[in-house]
Amino acid sequence: FRFGKKEDGKPSIAIVGALYGDAISQLYVASSLVNFLTQKEAENPDFIQGEILIIPSVNNYSFNIAQRYWPLDKTDIDMMFPGYDKGETTQRIAHKLFEALQGFTYGVTLENRKDRAYCLPYIKLFNVFEESVEEAKKFGFRFIHHRAVTPVDTVSLQYNWKLWGTKTFSIVFGKRSEIDYENGALTLEAITRFLSKNKLIDFAVAEGYSPNVITREKIEVLKAAKAGLFEPKVHPASVVKKGQVLSYTTNAQDGKTVEKLISPCDGIVTCIYDYPLIFENSIAFRIAKA
């Protein structure tokens, strides 16, 4: 879905929704944004100030049969960039998509986490580039995760898109295979705020959070030592104190408590394990340390 047109001196943005077949929240936000822009443009022909491209979903085949990865060979499209036009199917899809995304001022990808986690919405930036943290603050999310690149990241859309000269941001939010309406609404509002602040749309917006920029060193990761039925006592955005009980794990066969996870620090819960059964060494909580 394309809105506006490219003009010299005017900004442009491309927003890529679901790359995975279980990224339903990402599809929901992208489609809601299309609907919002369509309605506003119909009401006011001058509403769109730059060029906006929205691709709500890429991996439609996986969506249709409720699988996360490309069903025929279980490959991850977001590990195929910049793509190869004579390669396997997912490499060809990545290549065609990447061609369409060239030349934009800004690029946004909507992601859900690969692990079983329910998180506060946040911006993911790689610290190997001179990423514009100030630009990322325009979204108004609570956190910006400024993180190191892993080998896997070097074949992702966000990383390669940045290499080709686009200012890229990944928004991570939502649960797998579900629509997270609350955080979806926050994400839609944040994208609208970013579009307005960068003069891509003529629209008044409310200010968001003054974001905290966090690195891996500022995140406390708690892993489960025991497997069993997982009962969290806090939720994402909970402010916790050192020594506070975060969850109980009970034996799935006899109901006895086998583990009680305690917060090792003061901070804000950013992510929680999102499945009723937790397994040994699974990450149960991530806490942004105060």
Side-chain angles (χ1 to χ4, degrees), residues 23-24 48 63 83 119 121 129 135 145 184 194 208 223 230 270 274 284:
I24 303 178
I48 305 295
F63 263 116
C119 297
F129 299 114
E135 288 276 11
H145 188 191
F194 186 83
K223 293 185 177 181
F230 183 61
T270 61
D274 182 37

Side-chain angles (χ1 to χ4, degrees), residues 16-222:
V16 179
L19 286 166
Y20 300 106
D22 61 359
I24 303 178
S25 286
Q26 288 65 33
L27 178 65
Y28 167 73
V29 168
S31 63
S32 297
L33 184 60
V34 169
N35 185 50
F36 169 75
L37 295 176
T38 301
Q39 289 184 0
K40 291 298 182 183
E41 188 177 35
E43 295 170 4
N44 176 13
D46 297 323
F47 174 73
I48 305 295
Q49 301 288 300
E51 183 189 20
I52 304 171
L53 174 68
I54 302 174
I55 303 174
S57 64
V58 176
N59 197 348
N60 294 341
Y61 185 9
S62 295
F63 263 116
N64 290 340
I65 57 175
Q67 292 192 24
R68 179 172 176 82
Y69 300 114
W70 188 253
L72 299 182
D73 58 8
K74 307 301 182 186
T75 51
D76 181 349
I77 291 178
D78 202 27
M79 292 181 65
M80 296 295 163
F81 289 95
Y84 177 47
D85 62 350
K86 295 179 176 59
E88 298 297 328
T89 304
T90 44
Q91 291 177 302
R92 295 183 185 215
I93 292 171
H95 171 77
K96 196 69 176 177
L97 175 63
F98 203 61
E99 276 191 331
L101 296 176
Q102 297 310 302
F104 286 86
T105 313
Y106 304 104
V108 176
T109 62
L110 306 180
E111 296 184 23
N112 61 359
R113 291 186 60 89
K114 293 179 172 63
D115 57 349
R116 290 191 177 275
Y118 177 42
C119 297
L120 285 174
Y122 65 91
I123 297 290
K124 182 180 74 178
L125 292 178
F126 296 128
N127 62 11
V128 292
F129 299 114
E130 292 299 320
E131 294 276 15
S132 175
V133 173
E134 292 304 312
E135 288 276 11
K137 289 180 179 180
K138 292 179 182 179
F139 286 98
F141 283 118
R142 203 170 216 172
F143 293 105
I144 297 169
H145 188 191
H146 207 209
R147 47 159 288 196
V149 173
T150 65
V152 169
D153 294 321
T154 61
V155 289
S156 69
L157 172 57
Q158 183 186 5
Y159 182 91
N160 283 276
W161 207 358
K162 174 64 179 176
L163 282 180
W164 264 256
T166 294
K167 298 176 184 179
T168 58
F169 312 91
S170 280
I171 303 175
V172 185
F173 68 101
K175 298 181 180 181
R176 289 166 55 177
S177 302
E178 294 183 26
I179 296 179
D180 182 354
Y181 289 101
E182 181 179 356
N183 285 325
L186 290 175
T187 301
L188 183 60
E189 180 184 5
I191 294 172
T192 304
R193 184 181 298 115
F194 186 83
L195 296 178
S196 177
K197 285 179 175 288
N198 284 297
K199 302 188 184 305
L200 283 147
I201 59 175
D202 181 13
F203 191 67
V205 293
E207 289 297 327
Y209 287 100
S210 178
N212 295 289
V213 180
I214 58 174
T215 61
R216 176 64 186 85
E217 292 72 29
K218 294 182 180 179
I219 300 175
E220 188 73 40
V221 176
L222 277 72

